[in-house]
Amino acid sequence: MEVTVNTAGQLRITEEEFELIKQKLKRTPNFNELCAFSGMWSEHCSYKNSIKWLKTLPREGGRMLVKAGEENAGLMDIGDGYGVVFKIESHNHPSAIEPFQGAATGVGGIHRDIFTMGARPIASLNSLRFGKLEEAKTRHLLAGVVHGIGHYGNCFGVPTVGGEIYFEERYHTNPLVNAMSVGILKEGETVSATAKGIGNPVFFVGSATGKDGIGGASFASADITEESAEDLPAVQVGDPFQEKKLLEACLEVLYTKAVVGMQDMGAAGIICSTAEMSAKGNVGMRIDLDKVPTRQKNMKTWELLLSESQERMLMVVEKGKESEVLRIFEKWDLPCSEIGEVTDDGLLKFYMHGELEAEIPAHELVLGGGAPQYEREYREPSYLKKVKSFDPSTVEVPDNLREVAEKLASQPNIASKRWIFTQYDSMVGTGNVSTNDPSDAAVVVAKPTEKGLALTTDCNSRYVFADPYIGAMIAVSEAARNIVCSGGQPLGITNCLNFGNPYDPEVYYQFVQAIKGMGEACRKFETPVTGGNVSFYNQNPDGAVYPTPTIGMVGLLENVNDKMTMSFRNVGDIIFLIGKSSDDINSSEYLQKVKGVEFSPPPQFDLNTEYEMQQVLLKLIKGGLLESAHDVSEGGLFITLLESSFKNNLGFDAVASDYNIRKDAFWFGEAQSRVVVSVKKENAGAFKKALGSHPYEELGTVTAGSIEVDGQEWGDVSSWKNRYNTAIEKLLGGANN
Amino acid sequence: MKFGIVVFPGSNCDRDMQEALQNDLNQEVIMLWHKDKDISMFNTNDCIVLPGGFSYGDYLRCGAIARFSPMMQSVIGFAQKGGKVLGVCNGFQILCEAHLLPGVLMRNVNQQFLCKNVYLKGVGSDSPLMIPIAHGEGRFFANDDVLDELESGGQVIYKYCDKDGNITKESNHNGATRNIAGICNKNRNVFGMMPHPERACSEALGNTDGRVILKALLFSGAAERSAVAQAVV
């Protein structure tokens, strides 16, 4: 078949890119080669519209053991000879069309990125966005995604320990499904995704290849339209049992030291793993595609190159040690075939039954090599005028604050997510120490050490929408705050950058500003960006999603028993607010969901204030002066106090400490850099002294269960808990007990 | 006394059980691969544990394939000779499929996987024990004759209850008949339970109720005690 610019167009390759490919090859590519470029130069694999800005982020330093982008996931030193490996990735487009498989394979894919480096995954988290829960479509997507995440993670045997979920109209057509995996490895046992050693055999291990997920990478690089359902074969199908065996077999084979390099097959399947491993090692590969185990007969070259069948790995093995590898995969009943060898010419040569079907220089396909890099234009979005013109004095302070509080406590963005998290196995591995006493971040034991890892995913995209620069700084700050509230020292982040169409200058403005804000905050907290994922095209004919640069952060506790938790402990303890109350209702859940105001600036935030607050808080925790710590976020101070009350069935008697502040702002405003702590009476003096000049306010005391606000009785903790716990279930039709 | 833990390819609670027995209860543990058959290192004073997980993926019925594995043939023989066998979660499902225990484990009544702390009443403790569950197919079912026999013979070792020990409908999270969470055979050497005692054995996790269960079932004569026969209220 003759390859023309039209063929290229059908494969989502632009005219300019087609010309570029011809220049690079010094000839017109054949169809197989064009398919290879289509997968590799897709936004998903090449980062062509984002890499220029990603490079401005702090991508080394701290405890990082590999630079961002060098391996499949970030790797940081935790001491005692162990490292933590972590990464977050999106599976938005598949989940929009087939929520169960889309989410399941998202989980499977991110775990493979972790164990391909030689680490055993010990925890997973997720960050989800849907439309309004009142919509039937949302309930369908939510049920499917939660089932998919649970199905894969539960069987694979890694606990889902944390996450976040928001329901906003802007995600109605484009839900976001971001999955994060965290693993532990012993220093010196890391495996690189590099092909080395001319003549070394190349092995294909794991599941047989089928026609599923063909073109997945380029499908994820386009807007979602009514016709997207026709892309169903672009959605992959997952098998967690296969992945569990693959994990055990890969870790076992790594101990034999027979493996030179390994990379999982995710987006763009075989072509991506062969190209990236070869390019990184400055070598080439000769691959006999007919030796790849297949599920279907008569698979064509381009199908084999692009298939995104799950649970597969490419492995370069030291020549002479093939039998050890074969023995272990046989033990685990997994296909394992030698499909080619490492060559010295830098060329990827794919053969079918001895016929050369494609020949491409490996480096021309990859990011940092021949893949194009674009600078896109951007301009300030027009909606920001509406944001800036918001005048809070037009919002009346409600007479009945209790009624507002009740509405907030049952907002899906605030209420308990137990309908969701009880469907995930959160305890397998017996390392999740947050099960029986939660903290703002999930705390897990980094076995076999006694250290703890504090893990969190955060992004309030409403703030990012209101001001992408400040909003992204807040996302990083909130993640760090959650880790510090748990007693951890923030180490580093992984990011999942979910935005609309990068060719829309207003969308691209959001992206650029968010990157700038994120970079600034990461430099302040000394938390480098270890890696992550960009997901553009979260857009449909009605518009883009809220800009959602999700932050996955990892923090370290030198001893897991040093964790701080979020719940009040003793009746009579004094409740303090660290930080300062602010006359601010901007971008709050209250303003948007109760008052119906869509456009307002982000809540008050100052990066230096935030940083200093976190330093002070960590000092207080280490000094043993706090009984609990919980940060003020969605729903404001009242919701924070309430959430600290639930676990031990205690209450609070709190009075607004500043009468110059409007009451709705005091109780429901979301000004940043504030944390509610409880302190034993006898420690109050030492507590104030340790705070030094950092501002604080005394709010009241912990009660035996009554909720009292500004001297008014607001009922008992049990009725609030019931409201908070059942709100989402009620909206879903009461499916769970 | 020593312990063997069978590792199926999809077992994922095998290491948790190993850590609980080795680190929290100071026991000797040997891991047993599903393709092997040799259990000559064990005598009938020892105990073999079938851990939680998804044995062979469980795409058919949970535990339906595992019962045919080579190691299970040895375990069945071991149980028939009087050796102690404990199945937790998937292990319980396998014991039922292998007919070492009566009944079946069906899909949870709400059709969802469920992971949470629940309370149990039964051997080893007069007060309710808090133990995690994590299963999609844990609704114990058997016909009335079998259930009556289990109850009258003291073979029901654990029932789901509330935190005050009341055996109620609300505390029966998966909808099991008569709130049954765990049973044993007539000879009281084969035990199966859906909840995970191994997930509640370490101080760091803030819950050590699981030790009470493992000790009661595996070390002491407490397992001989008549089990809860209280009716569902």
Side-chain angles (χ1 to χ4, degrees):
Chain A
M1 124 183 218
E2 200 196 345
V3 167
T4 66
V5 69
N6 287 339
T7 332
Q10 282 163 9
L11 292 170
R12 293 174 179 146
I13 292 172
T14 66
E15 211 175 318
E16 300 76 53
E17 285 167 353
F18 185 58
E19 284 307 312
L20 193 59
I21 292 167
K22 288 202 283 191
Q23 275 174 31
K24 302 228 176 243
L25 295 181
K26 300 184 184 72
R27 59 181 165 84
T28 302
N30 67 26
F31 184 70
N32 296 325
E33 291 159 346
L34 192 65
C35 284
F37 278 100
S38 141
M40 291 304 293
W41 285 14
S42 69
E43 190 69 52
H44 193 83
C45 290
S46 74
Y47 293 83
K48 59 189 171 191
N49 287 310
S50 60
I51 188 65
K52 291 221 157 152
W53 287 100
L54 296 180
K55 282 182 176 166
T56 67
L57 291 168
R59 305 201 306 161
E60 52 190 312
R63 289 165 170 257
M64 276 180 82
L65 296 175
V66 294
K67 276 196 211 171
E70 274 188 4
E71 294 294 347
N72 279 290
L75 169 59
M76 299 192 84
D77 184 15
I78 60 167
D80 290 359
Y82 284 84
V84 58
V85 180
F86 59 99
K87 191 182 179 187
I88 192 167
E89 205 164 70
S90 64
H91 236 213
N92 304 337
H93 286 74
S95 303
I97 295 188
E98 215 296 78
F100 175 80
Q101 287 296 349
T105 52
V107 172
I110 196 63
H111 283 314
R112 274 196 303 286
D113 274 332
I114 302 305
F115 70 80
T116 194
M117 288 182 67
R120 177 176 286 280
I122 61 161
S124 59
L125 296 93
N126 53 67
S127 169
L128 311 176
R129 300 290 183 281
F130 296 97
K132 285 163 77 175
L133 198 47
E134 289 80 4
E135 302 272 349
K137 174 177 168 136
T138 300
R139 295 196 294 270
H140 160 74
L141 288 173
L142 175 70
V145 165
V146 170
H147 188 201
I149 292 172
H151 165 74
Y152 209 102
N154 299 345
C155 181
F156 185 55
V158 174
T160 303
V161 300
E164 49 153 19
I165 179 164
Y166 291 86
F167 302 94
E168 303 282 357
E169 212 166 346
R170 301 246 174 183
Y171 300 105
H172 179 79
T173 305
N174 295 88
L176 303 184
V177 176
N178 296 176
M180 174 169 166
S181 175
V182 181
I184 293 287
L185 56 68
K186 212 169 170 178
E187 253 168 61
E189 292 188 354
T190 318
V191 184
S192 176
T194 310
K196 277 188 293 204
I198 311 307
N200 274 338
V202 177
F203 276 80
F204 173 102
V205 301
S207 295
T209 299
K211 292 189 181 182
D212 55 327
I214 289 174
S218 56
F219 157 59
S221 306
D223 292 0
I224 293 222
T225 63
E226 274 180 26
E227 286 76 44
S228 294
E230 290 168 16
D231 281 330
L232 256 186
V235 178
Q236 311 84 343
V237 179
D239 179 351
F241 174 59
Q242 228 21 33
E243 174 122 325
K244 163 74 177 159
K245 294 196 295 174
L246 190 61
L247 161 74
E248 300 297 344
C250 284
L251 292 186
E252 203 170 318
V253 90
L254 295 181
Y255 298 132
T256 67
K257 306 280 177 200
V259 177
V260 173
M262 179 161 81
Q263 172 153 342
D264 73 302
M265 291 188 217
I270 292 178
I271 185 63
C272 185
S273 52
T274 52
E276 290 186 354
M277 285 189 79
S278 301
K280 208 186 288 177
N282 290 315
V283 294
M285 279 185 197
R286 179 211 146 95
I287 302 287
D288 293 308
L289 285 172
D290 47 293
K291 290 185 182 161
V292 172
T294 57
R295 265 178 231 164
Q296 277 144 302
K297 277 186 190 161
N298 304 322
M299 280 188 71
K300 299 194 178 70
T301 301
W302 63 274
E303 290 173 327
L304 285 164
L305 288 177
L306 288 185
S307 164
E308 293 183 14
S309 288
Q310 299 290 291
E311 294 93 26
R312 303 179 302 159
M313 292 274 188
L314 193 75
M315 207 177 256
V316 175
V317 172
E318 198 181 319
K319 200 167 180 62
K321 293 193 173 168
E322 294 89 341
S323 60
E324 280 186 74
V325 174
L326 288 166
R327 179 182 58 81
I328 288 168
F329 281 91
E330 163 119 30
K331 173 185 165 187
W332 288 96
D333 298 315
L334 283 169
C336 174
S337 321
E338 188 176 330
I339 61 166
E341 62 172 6
V342 177
T343 58
D344 63 357
D345 54 9
L347 293 173
L348 293 178
K349 290 184 180 175
F350 295 99
Y351 291 82
M352 276 288 246
H353 308 291
E355 294 277 320
L356 181 65
E357 295 267 316
E359 179 180 323
I360 312 170
H363 76 273
E364 297 295 5
L365 289 166
V366 302
L367 165 68
Q373 297 187 6
Y374 300 129
E375 196 146 355
R376 298 254 80 89
E377 59 168 319
Y378 53 94
R379 67 163 179 271
E380 187 173 298
S382 54
Y383 75 84
L384 287 177
K385 284 196 195 75
K386 283 192 254 180
V387 165
K388 287 170 185 164
S389 65
F390 170 68
D391 175 6
S393 69
T394 58
V395 178
E396 235 175 280
V397 180
D399 293 329
N400 191 338
L401 291 178
R402 181 175 174 176
E403 207 175 80
V404 173
E406 287 173 351
K407 264 188 202 161
L408 282 175
S410 43
Q411 279 302 318
N413 285 351
I414 289 173
S416 168
K417 311 298 185 290
R418 72 174 185 181
W419 184 86
I420 295 153
F421 67 72
T422 53
Q423 296 187 57
Y424 304 145
D425 191 337
S426 55
M427 307 183 205
V428 62
T430 56
N432 180 359
V433 298
S434 290
T435 303
N436 296 310
D437 206 356
S439 308
D440 280 4
V443 181
V444 299
V445 193
K447 291 178 188 178
T449 76
E450 287 179 350
K451 291 168 189 277
L453 296 175
L455 312 171
T456 183
T457 54
D458 289 287
C459 179
N460 184 317
S461 56
R462 206 165 53 226
Y463 303 165
V464 186
F465 178 71
D467 185 328
Y469 176 70
I470 297 286
M473 281 206 274
I474 292 179
V476 176
S477 301
E478 188 181 355
R481 202 186 309 142
N482 284 333
I483 281 169
V484 168
C485 280
S486 313
Q489 176 75 48
L491 282 189
I493 74 159
T494 173
N495 58 21
C496 197
L497 307 170
N498 308 273
F499 289 83
N501 191 322
Y503 291 81
D504 175 341
E506 296 198 348
V507 165
Y508 207 68
Y509 173 92
Q510 295 173 329
F511 175 74
V512 170
Q513 291 296 106
I515 292 290
K516 286 182 180 170
M518 182 182 299
E520 190 168 338
C522 285
R523 277 184 283 270
K524 185 77 195 177
F525 294 110
E526 296 176 66
T527 51
V529 181
T530 63
N533 164 237
V534 180
S535 172
F536 282 131
Y537 303 96
N538 294 290
Q539 187 150 356
N540 63 76
D542 293 331
V545 295
Y546 278 148
T548 314
T550 305
I551 304 299
M553 192 180 277
V554 172
L556 181 65
L557 289 85
E558 286 304 325
N559 189 306
V560 73
N561 295 321
D562 295 341
K563 73 171 173 142
M564 176 47 54
T565 58
M566 62 178 274
S567 309
F568 294 145
R569 311 223 149 258
N570 320 294
V571 176
D573 282 356
I574 306 176
I575 304 170
F576 291 97
L577 176 75
I578 300 180
K580 227 172 141 213
S581 293
S582 172
D583 199 17
D584 176 16
I585 54 172
N586 284 346
S587 278
S588 61
E589 190 74 12
Y590 157 70
L591 185 63
Q592 200 198 34
K593 297 296 179 344
V594 179
K595 291 290 185 179
V597 176
E598 198 189 346
F599 299 97
S600 65
Q604 189 177 310
F605 175 77
D606 175 73
L607 188 57
N608 289 321
T609 309
E610 175 76 42
Y611 178 77
E612 279 157 27
M613 190 278 294
Q614 291 188 19
Q615 299 306 307
V616 167
L617 185 59
L618 211 48
K619 193 171 87 180
L620 291 167
I621 292 170
K622 286 191 173 148
L625 292 169
L626 305 184
E627 300 301 301
S628 69
H630 183 26
D631 84 315
V632 179
S633 60
E634 289 82 13
L637 184 58
F638 175 79
I639 294 295
T640 308
L641 290 163
L642 202 58
E643 288 172 342
S644 287
S645 304
F646 290 149
K647 181 185 170 269
N648 295 319
N649 293 309
L650 297 171
F652 56 88
D653 179 357
V655 174
S657 41
D658 190 336
Y659 284 96
N660 298 318
I661 290 174
R662 46 187 294 171
K663 288 277 185 182
D664 53 355
F666 186 85
W667 293 111
F668 312 125
E670 297 177 13
Q672 296 295 296
S673 316
R674 297 183 296 156
V675 170
V676 167
V677 300
S678 61
V679 178
K680 280 186 180 155
K681 265 194 184 130
E682 60 264 33
N683 288 335
F687 167 78
K688 290 176 192 172
K689 202 172 156 208
L691 272 171
S693 61
H694 198 85
Y696 72 92
E697 292 165 21
E698 189 167 329
L699 296 172
T701 52
V702 176
T703 69
S706 67
I707 308 289
E708 292 167 48
V709 174
D710 282 337
Q712 291 177 335
E713 296 268 350
W714 280 19
D716 189 80
V717 64
S718 57
S719 63
W720 285 93
K721 198 165 153 180
N722 187 48
R723 178 186 300 279
Y724 179 88
N725 278 343
T726 56
I728 286 184
E729 285 150 33
K730 278 182 186 150
L731 278 168
L732 290 168
N736 205 342
N737 55 7
Chain B
M1 179 180 188
K2 57 180 178 297
F3 288 83
I5 299 176
V6 180
V7 182
F8 298 101
S11 295
N12 59 32
C13 304
D14 47 334
R15 277 186 298 270
D16 298 352
M17 184 60 83
Q18 182 186 12
E19 283 179 20
L21 291 170
Q22 266 174 2
N23 305 348
D24 301 320
L25 295 167
N26 288 316
Q27 298 301 308
E28 183 190 349
V29 177
I30 299 167
M31 305 306 271
L32 303 169
W33 183 237
H34 68 113
K35 289 183 181 175
D36 295 336
K37 276 184 166 171
D38 181 18
I39 52 165
S40 58
M41 60 294 239
F42 294 99
N43 64 45
T44 48
N45 293 323
D46 297 328
C47 174
I48 291 180
V49 182
L50 307 181
F54 290 74
S55 44
Y56 290 89
D58 284 346
Y59 291 117
L60 188 57
R61 233 168 33 245
C62 297
I65 296 179
R67 82 173 258 221
F68 295 107
S69 70
M71 181 52 74
M72 267 314 288
Q73 307 320 305
S74 304
V75 172
I76 291 168
F78 177 76
Q80 283 162 349
K81 275 187 249 160
K84 276 188 179 173
V85 177
L86 167 67
V88 170
C89 199
N90 192 222
F92 185 16
Q93 293 162 341
I94 295 168
L95 289 175
C96 290
E97 287 288 335
H99 305 301
L100 286 173
L101 290 173
V104 290
L105 292 148
M106 297 171 56
R107 194 132 183 79
N108 294 349
V109 70
N110 71 356
Q111 301 294 309
Q112 286 173 352
F113 188 94
L114 205 50
C115 174
K116 63 200 282 194
N117 278 319
V118 302
Y119 290 93
L120 297 181
K121 196 169 186 179
V123 298
S125 169
D126 294 327
S127 52
L129 299 166
M130 186 174 84
I131 304 290
I133 54 167
H135 56 248
E137 299 180 24
R139 177 161 55 107
F140 183 77
F141 179 83
N143 67 37
D144 280 336
D145 293 346
V146 173
L147 292 167
D148 289 344
E149 204 183 318
L150 283 173
E151 298 232 49
S152 63
Q155 286 173 250
V156 175
I157 53 171
Y158 292 106
K159 282 191 172 184
Y160 300 109
C161 64
D162 66 17
K163 68 179 184 349
D164 301 315
N166 303 308
I167 294 169
T168 61
K169 196 164 180 266
E170 291 69 38
S171 58
N172 190 12
H173 305 277
N174 58 23
T177 18
R178 304 192 193 178
N179 281 48
I180 290 172
I183 57 172
C184 68
N185 64 350
K186 267 191 194 137
N187 292 333
R188 309 192 78 79
N189 68 319
V190 178
F191 308 92
M193 61 189 297
M194 287 314 296
H196 287 270
E198 81 281 8
R199 294 187 181 189
C201 285
S202 126
E203 307 267 3
L205 297 176
N207 180 9
T208 54
D209 282 4
R211 292 183 191 180
V212 177
I213 291 180
L214 292 177
K215 282 180 183 167
L217 293 180
L218 307 174
F219 307 131
S220 73
E224 310 295 330
R225 271 180 28 181
S226 181
V228 258
Q230 199 179 331
V232 177
V233 291

